[in-house]
Amino acid sequence: MSTPKLRVDGVTLRFGAVRALNDVSFTVEPGTIHSIIGPNGAGKSSLLNVLSGVYRAQSGSVTWGEKSLMRMRPDQITKAGMGRSFQNLGLSGSQSIADNIMLGRHTLMKTGFFTGGLGLPRARGEERYHRARVMEIADFLELREWIDFPVSELPYGLQKRVDLGRALATEPELLLLDEPVAGMNSGEKRAIGEMLKTLLVPMGLTVLLVEHDMEMVMSLSDRITVIDFGTVIAEGTPDEVRANPAVIGAYLGNVEDEL
Amino acid sequence: MNLMSTVIAGLSLGAIYALVALGIVILYKASEVLNFAHGTIAVLGAYVTARTVDILGFFGAVVAGVLAAALTALLIERLLVRKMANAPVVSLAIMTIGLEVILNTELTRQIGVDILELHQPWGTEAIEIFGALVPWNRILTIVFTFVIVLIFLAAFRFSSWGVSMRAAAEDREAAEIVGLKLNRIAIVSWATAGGLAAMAGIFLTGAPSAGLTSSLAVIALRAFPAAIIGGLDSVAGALVGGLIIGMVEAFAITFQPELSFLGLGLGDVIAYLVMFLVLLVRPQGLFGRKEVVRA
Amino acid sequence: MRNFISGPARWVVLAAAVVVALIAPLYLTAFWLQLLFSISAIAVGAIGLTLLTGTAGQLSLANPFFMVMGALTYVVMSSPVDETGKLIGFGLPPIVGMISGVAVAGITGLIFSPIASRLSGIYLGMASLGLVFLSLHILNNVTPVTGGYNGRRTPNFEIFGIVFGRSENPIVIGGVPFGRLEWLWYLGIICVVLGYIFAKNILRSRPGRALRLIAAGDLPASVAGVHVAGYKARIFFVSSLYAGLSGVLFALSIGSIAPQTFDLALALQFLAMIVIGGLGSVGGAVAGAAFVMSLPILLQSALSNIPLFSGGALTTAYLSKYVYGAAIILVLLFKPSGLAGMWDSLITRLARRKNSSSNTAVPPHQRK
């Protein structure tokens, strides 16, 4: 069985008269880190929303391997193996770090209202097993120290890590990351980058990364797609993109400074 | 009761519901809260009018009633809603329920088993239209509501308050960033909603009703299904919803004998039945906005 | 609580509680047995509602509706067969009636759950309000089933051959003849305890986490992999089961049921209970139920000496409403975690004093 490719083909997303995405197409090869970059408001988050099933595009197709993701609900897409972290955080503030990461295990567990409510051994065993996995992820992301604190009491950078933990906990084959290192210091950013490149990808994870931090994007990515005003203006390896005049133009020279 | 009098009854009742529903929608758009206490504000306005009519005369009393209602609404906004601005929507709604319990209990206690008269100058006078005897009160209700709604719609569309309100309802954060004074919008919105409710209450107590009784609150409550039917974020929806409910109720009352298989007192609950049927087909209300996102 | 009383001390406390529960009917007067049983009956309904409205954030006023479904089914199933056909009864054993009551409430909940899951918070609140009004209308009109406006008698509960009512040869324990109230006490305690445990288990496990995430937002929940519509429907169903049982118990506590009991005012009282207790807290729901149900009696005894209040002008019925209406507002404004939150704060403070060395981690400095 070949590992699935994510194929985005001619996706157009409209909000009334505004075109958020215009005939966007690209392919993500399995086992790679593929980044989406572009100026603010270019449509990157909208793209991730379409891919994870939050928005329904008016035209085009999104296929992952054999499956068409266009008609699926977000939870069905997650169950199919796509994990996602949020820019604005999809965490349950009142719940602890442990519980939030446990939510990532939701699709891997079966306990329901009645098996859970009755406290059946099957339910308890499942809970114990997955809590152990959650602790591993928490250790991995260095979140163990505050594991029982409600997430709303933590600083933004930590919350981002919890969100990442939740996404990883779903044991995805494809991970969509929406600005995962926003709010982190350079040490934390480097650690996340390391983790992605040297640990998770070699384990078989495919990553689609939306990020503003150019240094991180350039050093991590295998391929980059550049979007501006909802349209793809460039695609290629980091070196190709760096030299592309259209990209430089879109960023009005800012990229040149950063690169 | 012939068809014409039923239709006019339906229109006037619908006008009253529309006035209250309009207030509910304004508040929902302005403060993102469903004000469960809104029906009792209508009763409050009528009550203050009834109590002051002997001192101030009818028109003075009306002013007093409207002011009382508007002021109460403002106090609610200032003291309660604003303090809970960051709470979940459900908590805010429950808070207004708590308010409703207090206001309703107090008003019921004050009114008791009495029937308070508001001494409308047009009294129980009626006029004949197409063979039906129609109380002036009903006609005035329809005309007044029509005028008020036109003024309101114009203000909503063209005045700075209206434009700001629509912008804020669309996207609160953006509105704040742009500099719109959400507080001022809220003040105008709540005061207006309160005033409209008071007028509705005053009309509701006129002919053919005997006067203000403690059952007024239950009737005013039926403006909520009207607002829901139209869609809580739609002004036009509030008007359409109000008219639909008014008409359906009037016909249910007129044709009670024929519809007796559906039970006695159908007119009291048919508003909720209609609301159910609408929500089955359109969960966001007739004119409500369907969200782009799916879960 | 866990940090405060640990190890063997916990089992002692638990054992003491069980003993107290067992011997209570020997020492409590009829008044107290009646009151506490009514509280248990209502507490069961409050637990279900706090899961739906508190934990999952789905505002619902439908409890009275499901309660009357349960209560009526019990009454109809277990009332003696009436030859004249004026009041329908099937004469079945009360335990069958009770189970049917919960089942019918659940089935009704199941029928409405798809609609409930499609409606957003406020709209669901209004729809549930409509459900209460419509059901009252229908029930007042189906006289052979409900006894019409005036209602009908609740048949006594009976299990293992013990009749929970007046009998010729009551079982006498410790000098106290065990009649209706004594036996009902145990039934109430058992139902509340089982309901409590079931709810707590739900909250501690996968569905509980999912519900809390849904309260935070449909979207984050869906992306996390939760089938939001399915969960909303299921929690609506679970809450209807609780309400059904609550209805049966409530019918037993009053001794008769009339449709008008299950009205908007009752729905609002339920909301008051779960808010005052702390939205989403199971223990809070029970505490809230105790508070709201005892209010009229507490107020009556507290104020009976003050001439102003013993007249008709400001009866305790009115006063109770002011109190719980104000309590809703005050709790939501100042202490949203309610009685449960106050209890937790108290326990934490006591535990801190007990463990003078603080070995608990401190949240990292907030950098905003």
Side-chain angles (χ1 to χ4, degrees):
Chain A
M1 192 186 78
S2 60
T3 37
K5 260 188 254 212
L6 178 71
R7 200 170 268 133
V8 178
D9 201 2
V11 164
T12 299
L13 176 70
R14 272 190 302 268
F15 291 116
V18 179
R19 241 176 229 248
L21 295 172
N22 199 355
D23 198 26
V24 171
S25 304
F26 62 90
T27 305
V28 178
E29 297 293 332
T32 64
I33 298 180
H34 191 121
S35 292
I36 310 275
I37 64 173
N40 275 321
K44 308 189 291 293
S45 282
S46 297
L47 179 61
L48 284 191
N49 281 337
V50 169
L51 294 178
S52 54
V54 173
Y55 290 155
R56 181 182 286 159
Q58 278 79 10
S59 59
S61 75
V62 178
T63 45
W64 189 28
E66 304 275 294
K67 294 181 244 201
S68 162
L69 300 181
M70 285 286 271
R71 297 234 153 277
M72 287 177 143
R73 281 191 325 256
D75 59 281
Q76 291 169 319
I77 293 178
T78 303
K79 238 181 227 132
M82 187 186 290
R84 169 172 179 180
S85 84
F86 282 85
Q87 190 178 24
N88 291 322
L89 301 175
L91 298 174
S92 181
S94 60
Q95 300 192 68
S96 65
I97 293 184
D99 281 338
N100 269 285
I101 301 179
M102 274 296 266
L103 275 165
R105 307 300 284 180
H106 186 92
T107 49
L108 300 165
M109 294 171 74
K110 284 212 193 70
T111 305
F113 280 92
F114 289 97
T115 40
L118 292 170
L120 297 180
R122 195 184 343 157
R124 289 192 213 248
E126 191 182 63
E127 180 86 5
R128 267 195 304 270
Y129 172 77
H130 287 280
R131 263 213 194 255
R133 306 282 82 70
V134 164
M135 289 303 159
E136 286 168 15
I137 294 173
D139 284 328
F140 185 55
L141 289 171
E142 291 177 19
L143 291 168
R144 194 60 184 268
E145 196 182 330
W146 307 285
I147 195 80
D148 286 321
F149 278 105
V151 160
S152 54
E153 285 176 20
L154 303 173
Y156 184 70
L158 260 176
Q159 288 182 344
K160 273 278 195 190
R161 248 191 282 163
V162 177
D163 195 36
L164 181 61
R166 184 198 46 78
L168 287 174
T170 63
E171 291 187 11
E173 285 170 39
L174 174 62
L175 187 58
L176 303 182
L177 296 176
D178 197 347
E179 301 195 29
V181 296
M184 293 187 188
N185 61 39
S186 54
E188 290 169 316
K189 286 189 195 186
R190 220 171 310 138
I192 299 287
E194 279 288 304
M195 178 188 76
L196 288 174
K197 187 117 191 176
T198 59
L199 192 62
L200 296 175
V201 169
M203 272 170 58
L205 187 64
T206 307
V207 177
L208 185 60
L209 177 66
V210 166
E211 200 22 85
H212 275 300
D213 184 323
M214 281 305 146
E215 190 187 319
M216 191 167 181
V217 168
M218 290 297 160
S219 65
L220 285 180
S221 315
D222 296 301
R223 282 191 84 76
I224 303 176
T225 300
V226 188
I227 294 186
D228 195 12
F229 291 114
T231 318
V232 175
I233 60 171
E235 176 163 333
T237 65
D239 289 325
E240 290 167 1
V241 164
R242 216 189 304 242
N244 190 316
V247 174
I248 298 169
Y251 278 94
L252 296 169
N254 292 342
V255 153
E256 229 175 354
D257 299 321
E258 283 188 87
L259 299 173
Chain B
M1 265 259 244
N2 71 3
L3 193 64
M4 177 51 67
S5 60
T6 307
V7 168
I8 296 190
L11 282 176
S12 75
L13 201 54
I16 292 168
Y17 285 140
L19 281 178
V20 183
L22 195 56
I24 294 171
V25 168
I26 294 174
L27 295 181
Y28 187 73
K29 286 175 90 81
S31 305
E32 287 181 304
V33 60
L34 179 67
N35 182 18
F36 264 100
H38 207 64
T40 48
I41 293 180
V43 179
L44 175 70
Y47 178 74
V48 169
T49 304
R51 284 290 187 229
T52 56
V53 72
D54 291 325
I55 315 165
L56 301 173
F58 179 69
F59 289 101
V62 167
V63 170
V66 170
L67 282 178
L71 201 61
T72 308
L74 277 177
L75 281 174
I76 295 173
E77 197 278 329
R78 190 22 105 84
L79 295 176
L80 299 174
V81 175
R82 213 179 281 192
K83 291 256 159 40
M84 284 188 67
N86 297 317
V89 180
V90 172
S91 295
L92 265 169
I94 299 180
M95 186 272 288
T96 64
I97 289 178
L99 202 57
E100 195 269 345
V101 169
I102 296 178
L103 279 176
N104 201 353
T105 307
E106 179 59 17
L107 284 169
T108 309
R109 195 175 71 86
Q110 294 286 356
I111 300 171
V113 292
D114 295 335
I115 303 177
L116 300 175
E117 289 188 43
L118 271 67
H119 300 300
Q120 285 93 337
W122 50 86
T124 51
E125 300 270 312
I127 183 178
E128 188 165 323
I129 302 181
F130 290 114
L133 211 58
V134 179
W136 268 111
N137 188 62
R138 286 229 154 106
I139 299 182
L140 280 167
T141 307
I142 298 173
V143 170
F144 175 83
T145 305
F146 189 67
V147 170
I148 279 281
V149 164
L150 280 180
I151 295 176
F152 176 80
L153 284 176
F156 202 57
R157 192 132 258 257
F158 303 116
S159 80
S160 64
W161 165 74
V163 173
S164 314
M165 231 255 288
R166 279 184 290 143
E170 187 86 35
D171 189 334
R172 262 185 116 68
E173 272 182 55
E176 239 169 339
I177 294 172
V178 169
L180 290 181
K181 296 210 170 14
L182 290 179
N183 283 341
R184 202 174 292 167
I185 298 173
I187 290 173
V188 175
S189 306
W190 280 79
T192 309
L196 288 175
M199 290 308 309
I202 292 169
F203 279 123
L204 202 50
T205 56
S209 170
L212 173 60
T213 63
S214 43
S215 64
L216 194 70
V218 178
I219 302 174
L221 196 60
R222 300 206 277 268
F224 282 95
I228 295 277
I229 287 171
L232 273 181
D233 52 356
S234 165
V235 166
L239 304 174
V240 171
L243 282 173
I244 292 177
I245 296 292
M247 280 303 214
V248 169
E249 266 186 34
F251 275 86
I253 296 172
T254 305
F255 292 102
Q256 175 67 69
E258 286 86 347
L259 294 169
S260 61
F261 68 92
L262 285 174
L264 295 168
L266 183 65
D268 288 332
V269 294
I270 198 158
Y272 299 100
L273 185 60
V274 175
M275 177 184 74
F276 245 108
L277 296 172
V278 170
L279 286 177
L280 265 174
V281 180
R282 273 184 81 87
Q284 69 272 30
L286 290 175
F287 296 91
R289 220 167 340 166
K290 193 163 193 182
E291 305 223 332
V292 179
V293 297
R294 331 111 65 191
Chain C
M1 203 61 185
R2 226 165 281 172
N3 295 326
F4 187 50
I5 308 175
S6 54
R10 287 185 70 206
W11 292 111
V12 172
V13 172
L14 218 61
V18 171
V19 169
V20 168
L22 280 173
I23 64 172
L26 299 175
Y27 296 98
L28 294 174
T29 63
F31 168 80
W32 281 102
L33 287 173
Q34 169 72 42
L35 177 65
L36 291 168
F37 179 66
S38 318
I39 292 177
S40 338
I42 292 292
V44 170
I47 293 175
L49 189 64
T50 208
L51 290 178
L52 176 63
T53 297
T55 309
Q58 308 299 301
L59 178 65
S60 169
L61 295 170
N63 253 18
F65 171 67
F66 294 113
M67 280 177 78
V68 82
M69 288 284 118
L72 257 186
T73 305
Y74 172 76
V75 169
V76 166
M77 289 291 182
S78 306
S79 284
V81 182
D82 179 12
E83 302 302 324
T84 66
K86 259 204 329 199
L87 285 177
I88 301 179
F90 290 103
L92 293 169
I95 187 69
V96 173
M98 175 181 271
I99 296 174
S100 318
V102 177
V104 166
I107 291 170
T108 321
L110 215 50
I111 293 173
F112 282 103
S113 62
I115 314 169
S117 68
R118 290 197 304 157
L119 295 172
S120 82
I122 304 288
Y123 285 74
L124 178 63
M126 282 309 307
S128 59
L129 179 68
L131 206 55
V132 172
F133 279 127
L134 284 171
S135 69
L136 279 179
H137 173 77
I138 295 175
L139 293 173
N140 275 323
N141 280 291
V142 285
T143 316
V145 177
T146 61
Y149 195 70
N150 292 317
R152 57 189 293 187
R153 235 192 100 253
T154 312
N156 284 322
F157 193 69
E158 190 186 314
I159 195 167
F160 306 133
I162 306 170
V163 176
F164 287 30
R166 218 176 289 272
S167 71
E168 299 292 304
N169 292 316
I171 301 174
V172 180
I173 303 178
V176 174
F178 268 46
R180 178 174 156 262
L181 287 174
E182 285 76 15
W183 292 118
L184 282 178
W185 160 264
Y186 293 122
L187 181 63
I189 295 285
I190 291 172
C191 289
V192 171
V193 168
L194 290 179
Y196 178 89
I197 294 175
F198 191 78
K200 272 291 226 217
N201 281 344
I202 288 178
L203 289 180
R204 267 198 273 259
S205 61
R206 176 177 176 259
R209 286 187 292 267
L211 291 178
R212 284 201 194 92
L213 186 58
I214 291 174
D218 278 7
L219 222 41
S222 187
V223 177
V226 176
H227 182 193
V228 174
Y231 266 79
K232 284 185 181 177
R234 256 169 278 161
I235 187 57
F236 191 77
F237 169 60
V238 168
S239 132
S240 73
L241 288 172
Y242 271 93
L245 179 60
S246 175
V248 175
L249 296 174
F250 195 55
L252 286 169
S253 84
I254 306 180
S256 66
I257 58 162
Q260 52 177 302
T261 322
F262 302 94
D263 61 356
L264 176 62
L266 182 59
L268 297 184
Q269 280 183 300
F270 269 114
L271 280 184
M273 292 173 207
I274 65 173
V275 166
I276 293 169
L279 285 170
S281 161
V282 183
V286 177
F291 178 77
V292 175
M293 294 289 287
S294 333
L295 259 182
I297 297 158
L298 287 174
L299 288 171
Q300 192 143 40
S301 57
L303 300 171
S304 59
N305 297 321
I306 306 174
L308 181 65
F309 294 112
S310 57
L314 204 70
T315 67
T316 52
Y318 281 133
L319 207 51
S320 309
K321 289 198 171 179
Y322 290 130
V323 172
Y324 76 70
I328 292 178
I329 298 177
L330 291 172
V331 166
L332 286 173
L333 270 180
F334 300 116
K335 186 80 176 167
S337 50
L339 290 172
M342 289 186 225
W343 174 258
D344 282 339
S345 305
L346 182 66
I347 295 291
T348 316
R349 211 172 305 154
L350 289 174
R352 212 171 278 160
R353 214 173 292 167
K354 199 166 156 249
N355 311 323
S356 45
S357 64
S358 133
N359 52 3
T360 47
V362 176
H365 173 64
Q366 292 257 36
R367 253 183 303 126
K368 280 276 155 109

